[in-house]
Amino acid sequence: MKDRALEWATFADKVVRIAGKKIIEIRRESRIEVAYKNAGEIVTSADLASDQIIREAIASSYPKHGILSEETTDGVWAKNIFEGPLWIIDPLDGTVNYSRNLPYFAISVAIAVDGVVWAGAVHAPDLGVTYVGIRGGGSRCNGEQLHVHCFETLSEAVIGTGFP
């Protein structure tokens, strides 16, 4: 499965970068259209364009794999279909920041098989960083291996969260 995980990680890396270019183009050309989902969360034309790019790439390369996306789920939740390969997508994480021209947003794609995540990529185009990880193979940022820092106490750590 590790060989497949490397293949999937490479694919995820490629597709998040392609989607990243598209959402930057949409913002640069001032073509952002904003709507609201339930609970008042915003969704933009860039969210939907990124989602479409990623879904079409997956369908083309892995037509038998499932897709679970923040924007379009194809009934995965309702059917509780989590067996086999399932791509998990957040086509534009940080939509509020994106829509306000703040650089803190990303495109996230991962793949799980039977509920176990094997590979994924997160691309923050404005920051120029891409993270890619493989189960059992570590993670990289822009190709450089990442390392975990260990702390003795929680007060030494930095913890953050955000809510819409």
Side-chain angles (χ1 to χ4, degrees), residues 88-147:
I88 304 155
I89 305 166
D90 190 340
L92 204 172
D93 188 16
T95 302
V96 171
N97 288 343
Y98 171 82
S99 68
R100 289 175 171 79
N101 284 322
L102 298 172
Y104 308 107
F105 61 89
I107 300 95
S108 304
V109 174
I111 184 167
V113 178
D114 298 327
V116 177
V117 177
W118 281 94
V122 177
H123 177 55
D126 269 2
L127 301 177
V129 294
T130 304
Y131 297 90
V132 178
I134 298 172
R135 182 177 195 82
S139 299
R140 297 180 175 276
C141 176
N142 293 345
E144 185 175 324
Q145 187 71 42
L146 297 174
H147 303 281

Side-chain angles (χ1 to χ4, degrees), residues 17-32 45-46 49 53 98 105 125-126:
R17 290 171 190 266
I18 292 168
K21 286 179 184 175
K22 182 63 175 180
I23 66 174
I24 295 301
E25 173 188 311
I26 289 170
R27 190 177 62 188
R28 184 178 55 244
E29 295 175 0
S30 300
R31 294 185 293 134
I32 301 172
S45 51
I53 287 167
Y98 171 82
F105 61 89
D126 269 2

Side-chain angles (χ1 to χ4, degrees), residues 66-79:
I67 298 173
L68 175 62
S69 173
E70 180 181 1
E71 304 308 334
T72 51
T73 63
D74 288 345
V76 171
W77 287 116
K79 297 175 189 173

